[in-house]
Structure formats: C-alpha cells, structure tokens
Amino acid sequence: MGRAFVYVILGGGVAAGYAALEFARRGGYSRGELCIISEEAVAPYERPALSKGYLLPEGAARLPGFHTCVGSGDELLTTKWYKEQGIELVLGTRVISADVRRKTLLTGTGETISYKTLIIATGARALKLQEFGIKGSDASNICYLRNIDDADKLVNVMKSCPGGNAVVIGGGYIGMECAAALVTNKIRVTMVFPEKHCMGRLFTVKIAEYYENYYTSKGVTFVKGTVLTSFEKDTSGKVTAVILKDGRHLPADMVVVGIGIRANTSLFEGQLVMSMENGGIKVNGQLQTSDSSVYAVGDVAAFPIKLFDGDIRRLEHVDSARRTARHAVASILEPSKTRDIDYLPFFYSRVFTLSWQFYGDNVGEVVHFGDFTGSNPRFGAYWVNKGRIAGAYLEGGSRDEYEAISVAVRRKAKVTNMAELERQGLSFAIQESQKEVPDSGLAVVGKPTYAWYATAGVVAAVSIAAISYWYGKKRRRW
C-alpha cells in the first residue's frame, strides 16, 4: 500500500505553507504531484499567532483566520485553496521512518509514500522538563507552546485559574511572550530562569534591564540565577507549587515552560550530513542537503550566511522559515536561475505596547543609544565587529527606521569612531541607508516578512480592536 508523488513537503508548519504557495505561483507541478505530510490535523498556519493573538482574553484569533500566508500579507491558504491548487494535504499523519536512498517515507499507519524530490520542513519540538530529569512534569496544569493543541491547552488552563498564580520557566521568546499574555489575562506571573537576565542569547544587560523593569511594572516577578528542581502537587496530581534549587517554593496554579527547542532531525540522522554544532541538517546555499534530491528549510536547516562570510547557522525564527522555504522551491524548479540564498538574519517581538527588531549578529563591541527611560521608549544598540556594523537592534522604531538599521547591517557600515557612533545613534543608520551604493550582485530575496498583522485574512479571525488591545496600537502594514 502506498502513494507516489513528484514533490513531498514533510512537515506542516510555516515553511510548508510558504513552500506550497511558491510552488503554486511558479507552476512547477501538475495536479496530484505535490503533497504536504503533517502530524497536525490542520493545514499550515502562522505559528507566531499562538503566543500572541491566540491568547487574547477577548476577540482571540482562531483558524482559519491565520493559516499561512497571511503573516506576510499574502494569501490565506485554507484547505479549499490546497484542493483548488491540486496539492494533497496528508494531515494527522506521522512519518516514522525515512529511506533517503530509496526515496520513501513510511507512515505510522504503514503506508509508504515515495518522492522524487523531498523538502524537509519538520521544524523543531519544544524541550520538555522530563529530558532534564524533572519528575512530575506531566501534570495537567503544566503547559508548553509549540502547536495549536498546546495553545488550546494553555487557553483552557488559563481560564481555569482566573486571578491565580502562574510560574513561567524560561526567559527567552516563549517565556517573555507567554508572560505578557498571562498578565493580559489577569494572572499573576513569576518568571524563573538560570541566566542573569531575560533573552540572554540576544539582549545586553542594559536592554534586558529595560524590559525587566517594564514587566515588573505590569506585576511580573523575576527569579533569576536558579532553576526548578521539583513540584508540589495536590491529591488530583495538579501542581500547586514550584520548588527551586535555591530552596524557594513558588505558589502555582499553572506552569508554562519555554526552555528552548530542538530541531526534528532524527528521521535523517545517519543518512544526511548534519551540522553538529548547530543541531540541524546541513544544506548549501540552494538549501540542498548532502543528497541532491533532498532539501531542508526552516528551523531544521543549517545554511550558510553570506553576510557572515558563509558561516553555517540554524535560525529559529519565522522569517527564516518563510524565506528558506521560498528559496528552496526556486532552487528546485529553476536551479540555473537561482543564486545562493543571501539572508539577513532577522528577529522581532511585540508584547504589550512594545515592539523591537534585530538584524545581523550580536558579536563585537556594543554601543547603546536613545532614550531608555521615557514612557514611549525609542532606543537601540549597534554591535561593532572589526570596525563595521555586525548587528543592530531597535525598540519603538518606525518602518523607515527599521529599514535603515537593516541596511546598515547588510552593508556592514564602517565605524571609525565609537563615541561618534553613540552620539549619532539612530541617525547613523538613517544616513547610511540614504547613501547610493553600487549593486553588489548579491542575491537579495525581498525584505523580512512580519508575522501576524491585520491583513484581510486576519481580520476574519481577530478584529483590529483586539489587536489594539494586545499591542496598545494598531499594527502597521509592512
């Protein structure tokens, strides 16, 4: 028993949806030649919505309003769209083994699916407390957030303890965004993480201090430099307190865990070349793996960054998932016309009334600028490496200002005086962006795409009023 396709996209996350749209627009297949295999029971959707609009106490986002590709202001790809495009959705299906040499995938139901070209878009999974030896971490009021089932559970648990206490384990993206959502749902929040400050992989001490003070003003308590060791539970098995390594007991009606993710590479280990230092599947500038018929995109792909002199990176962000997916399809359908991907690493987040963006790499000497004290924050930082801008961060910027810092990073703007850079601040990037420079000949695949804003498709699921409630102001079209 089996089916055969020309193209198979393995995984049903953001990258799968954007790859499907690119296939449809380029017309590189016939009806029935392309399929998406996904463990989830729904068509690909914009995952960032799960930690934002989905958790709103009023007017919350729900499918079909945030299927891909509305997060970049593009089409809403419902199951009807896939049917009209002749793309087969194989949903609720787990692939348990892959044979790259034979070009086959075996599903949990015993079906064999063969392909000529495979795009691995398996993404990543949330790390679980059990993996760190924490006993009792299967309690019903312990939540993770990676897929829509996780989000539904989190919403239900929040509703079960209005005005209660939540302990958030982890100070990264998920921890910070979930903490904001919990506060918005009128739940008291304590954040616990081992690092010295939040967002330790990106933020400087000065930047982190601003956000921690802001969160504190919203009622969030930070417990830093320690980890949880166990839980106290009631007779029903629910967590009632989190016990920390330093001996403290934190009352808890619910626990949210955001301690990182791990790329889903297990199906292909021993068959494809892996990037051991990055934990992903190693690909070239065409997103092609060590097997010429297999490509990898999104969180699972470790690919060369031209801006970093070809250094291999695996990037855990929605923009990378969108862009690598599109590029892989272009490479498959028009290899002679597709240059190596030239991706500018990009990260962003929006919580409460705050909004920041980061471009490049946070290496080198840091120069901060702007107002870190005002009620309407507008501040940032440059990372200067070997006399050139390697990375740039900005909170509270406009569309043009964010574009300016991205240009300064992409051009590796030269810095001759650090004190002068600090004095100029944002104006340095603006002036750099206004300079005329000759075409470098590098392949630039569009601008970063910004997830979850009010496109026509999104309005169907969540009103502008609800977006305003979450962010404090209507988000701009980008």
Side-chain angles (χ1 to χ4, degrees):
M1 177 182 176
R3 284 179 281 179
F5 296 91
V6 176
Y7 305 106
V8 170
I9 301 170
L10 179 58
V14 171
Y18 281 80
L21 182 59
E22 192 72 14
F23 266 115
R25 288 190 169 159
R26 290 178 179 267
Y29 67 97
S30 299
R31 294 187 69 86
E33 289 185 344
L34 170 62
C35 86
I36 294 175
I37 305 173
S38 174
E39 287 191 36
E40 295 197 64
V42 295
Y45 55 87
E46 300 285 359
R47 205 173 296 279
L50 299 182
S51 61
K52 298 178 178 66
Y54 206 87
L55 304 181
L56 288 172
E58 299 175 10
R62 291 294 181 268
L63 290 175
F66 60 94
H67 281 298
T68 55
C69 299
V70 295
S72 59
D74 220 314
E75 290 186 60
L76 179 71
L77 311 188
T78 62
T79 52
K80 180 181 177 182
W81 180 89
Y82 289 98
K83 185 175 182 180
E84 290 172 347
Q85 298 298 322
I87 301 172
E88 187 157 349
L89 291 175
V90 184
L91 303 177
T93 300
R94 183 174 176 233
V95 171
I96 60 174
S97 68
D99 189 324
V100 172
R101 186 176 61 84
R102 294 181 178 179
K103 298 185 179 182
T104 59
L105 305 171
L106 179 64
T107 73
T109 60
E111 181 183 14
T112 297
I113 295 177
S114 64
Y115 61 84
K116 290 186 178 179
T117 299
L118 174 68
I119 297 178
I120 303 171
T122 47
R125 62 175 180 81
L127 290 173
K128 301 295 180 70
L129 292 175
Q130 294 96 315
E131 297 175 62
F132 298 89
I134 307 298
K135 296 180 180 180
S137 50
D138 57 349
S140 62
N141 58 340
I142 296 178
C143 303
Y144 296 84
L145 187 57
R146 187 63 189 172
N147 57 42
I148 205 158
D149 289 339
D150 293 337
D152 284 337
K153 178 181 177 179
L154 178 54
V155 168
N156 291 333
V157 173
M158 283 196 300
K159 288 179 178 179
S160 73
C161 56
N165 296 298
V167 176
V168 175
I169 307 298
Y173 261 107
I174 291 299
M176 294 295 282
E177 294 194 350
C178 285
L182 289 162
V183 169
T184 304
N185 281 273
K186 303 188 186 311
I187 295 173
R188 293 183 293 274
V189 178
T190 300
M191 295 189 69
V192 179
F193 47 86
E195 297 84 7
K196 293 180 179 179
H197 60 76
C198 68
M199 294 290 292
R201 292 170 60 185
L202 174 60
F203 286 1
T204 66
V205 173
K206 187 177 180 69
I207 292 173
E209 182 180 24
Y210 177 84
Y211 292 101
E212 288 180 10
N213 288 339
Y214 188 94
Y215 273 59
T216 299
S217 74
K218 297 291 185 181
V220 176
T221 299
F222 286 90
V223 179
K224 298 179 283 186
T226 190
V227 296
L228 76 89
T229 56
S230 59
F231 301 105
E232 288 182 358
K233 296 183 178 182
D234 62 17
T235 55
S236 70
K238 286 188 176 181
V239 171
T240 57
V242 171
I243 304 173
L244 305 182
K245 188 176 182 179
D246 62 14
R248 277 181 282 185
H249 289 221
L250 305 177
D253 297 294
M254 63 179 296
V255 178
V256 180
V257 182
I259 53 176
I261 61 176
R262 180 167 293 162
N264 291 318
T265 62
S266 60
L267 287 173
F268 302 96
E269 290 171 4
Q271 300 187 79
L272 300 175
V273 173
M274 300 287 158
S275 174
M276 302 308 294
E277 62 274 24
N278 293 292
I281 298 172
K282 190 174 182 179
V283 297
N284 61 21
Q286 302 289 305
L287 287 308
Q288 191 175 45
T289 71
S290 55
D291 185 288
S292 62
S293 64
V294 181
Y295 294 72
V297 299
D299 289 351
V300 78
F303 64 98
I305 305 294
K306 282 189 176 183
L307 190 69
F308 303 161
D309 300 320
D311 190 32
I312 302 295
R313 300 288 178 94
R314 187 178 66 81
L315 302 175
E316 299 171 357
H317 199 269
V318 64
D319 184 66
S320 174
R322 293 168 177 156
R323 296 276 300 281
T324 54
R326 288 168 167 165
H327 201 93
V329 174
S331 299
I332 291 166
L333 298 181
E334 297 184 284
S336 63
K337 296 181 180 180
T338 305
R339 290 178 284 182
D340 287 352
I341 191 168
D342 182 21
Y343 182 65
L344 173 61
F346 163 66
F347 302 89
Y348 72 91
S349 184
R350 299 186 182 220
V351 292
F352 298 118
T353 60
L354 305 176
S355 172
W356 60 259
Q357 292 182 23
F358 172 83
Y359 296 86
D361 200 8
N362 57 336
V363 295
E365 186 176 350
V366 183
V367 173
H368 297 95
F369 61 84
D371 180 12
F372 282 76
T373 61
S375 57
N376 294 308
R378 190 161 168 269
F379 60 81
Y382 296 111
W383 281 258
V384 182
N385 190 34
K386 298 178 181 178
R388 294 189 177 274
I389 298 294
Y393 175 98
L394 182 62
E395 163 65 48
S398 67
R399 174 181 179 176
D400 290 341
E401 290 166 345
Y402 287 129
E403 176 68 14
I405 66 168
S406 75
V407 170
V409 174
R410 178 169 283 285
R411 292 180 181 175
K412 296 184 178 180
K414 188 176 181 179
V415 176
T416 56
N417 187 307
M418 298 292 281
E420 179 64 14
L421 177 64
E422 183 177 12
R423 187 193 67 78
Q424 286 185 288
L426 182 58
S427 64
F428 173 87
I430 293 173
Q431 291 171 20
E432 179 66 30
S433 69
Q434 293 170 346
K435 294 178 182 178
E436 293 292 333
V437 296
D439 184 1
S440 66
L442 295 177
V444 180
V445 190
K447 296 178 181 178
T449 51
Y450 303 87
W452 192 237
Y453 54 91
T455 64
V458 172
V459 172
V462 57
S463 67
I464 294 296
I467 294 287
S468 301
Y469 179 77
W470 178 250
Y471 293 126
K473 59 182 178 180
K474 180 179 175 181
R475 298 181 71 174
R476 295 179 290 272
R477 287 291 299 268
W478 293 64

